[in-house]
């Protein structure tokens, strides 16, 4: 919320985190958001290890900006499903639904989940509702 971001998908893996962030404002700062997230996740990792799975983030994050063609709805959703399937590719579970450490972060909507059949329709409506119009240059 503080940096004006929606996270349609995240997957917490044993040694790294995959997430997609979408800015809602012209002044959205993903670097500040990542710094904040890493600081607070690290504290949680030290505090407890859920269900015996040990988590430790990589020293350096790897960031990527999506190309224009990757931002189209069908391509974007396909890329998000690819991320959600990471636990399956690593043979940690048979289906993403069996991995407890994935989801979405849309402030004010704690029960929104990327594996539900109605997710994308709801997500795009919320994104359009909360997105600040981009300034005309």
């Amino acid at each position: 919320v503080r940096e004006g971001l929606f996270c349609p998908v995240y997957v917490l893996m044993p040694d790294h985190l995959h997430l997609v962030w979408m800015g809602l404002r012209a002044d959205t700062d993903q670097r500040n958001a990542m710094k904040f997230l890493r600081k607070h996740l690290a504290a949680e990792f030290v505090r407890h290890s859920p269900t015996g799975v040990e988590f430790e983030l990589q020293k350096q994050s790897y960031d990527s900006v999506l190309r224009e063609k990757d931002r189209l709805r069908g391509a974007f959703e396909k890329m998000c499903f690819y991320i959600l399937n990471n636990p399956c590719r690593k043979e940690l579970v048979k289906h993403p639904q069996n991995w407890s450490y994935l989801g979405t972060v849309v402030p004010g909507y704690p029960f929104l989940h990327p594996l539900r059949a109605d997710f994308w329709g709801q997500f795009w409506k919320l994104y359009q509702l909360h997105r600040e119009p981009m300034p005309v240059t």
Side-chain angles (χ1 to χ4, degrees):
V1 170
R2 76 176 53 218
E3 296 299 339
L5 294 163
F6 271 10
C7 176
V9 297
Y10 71 86
V11 178
L12 186 58
M13 299 292 287
D15 62 347
H16 63 283
L17 170 70
H18 293 274
L19 60 87
V20 174
W21 275 342
M22 299 172 70
L24 299 171
R25 306 184 312 244
D27 68 342
T28 292
D29 191 329
Q30 293 186 18
R31 286 192 176 128
N32 278 346
M34 182 54 77
K35 184 177 177 182
F36 179 87
L37 178 65
R38 288 179 67 90
K39 175 184 174 184
H40 291 280
L41 279 179
E44 286 300 307
F45 294 159
V46 168
R47 211 164 62 92
H48 59 80
S49 173
T51 64
V53 177
E54 295 286 331
F55 292 102
E56 182 179 340
L57 293 177
Q58 295 168 310
K59 300 281 185 246
Q60 179 68 36
S61 64
Y62 173 76
D63 302 327
S64 177
V65 176
L66 297 178
R67 295 169 293 192
E68 189 67 34
K69 68 177 187 169
D70 298 325
R71 291 185 230 160
L72 300 174
R73 278 196 187 185
F76 181 79
E77 292 167 15
K78 185 176 179 180
M79 182 264 314
C80 288
F81 283 117
Y82 180 84
I83 289 170
L84 292 169
N85 274 315
N86 264 275
C88 300
R89 281 192 300 282
K90 294 294 182 180
E91 299 181 351
L92 298 169
V93 292
K94 297 274 187 214
H95 190 280
Q97 290 174 328
N98 299 330
W99 188 249
S100 300
Y101 312 105
L102 60 78
T104 189
V105 179
V106 174
Y109 301 88
F111 302 109
L112 197 59
H113 197 279
L115 296 177
R116 287 186 38 189
D118 60 348
F119 172 75
W120 287 107
Q122 290 179 330
F123 177 80
W124 288 119
K125 284 179 189 174
L126 292 169
Y127 178 71
Q128 290 301 322
L129 178 68
H130 293 282
R131 189 174 74 120
E132 178 181 282
M134 291 297 153
V136 177
T137 55

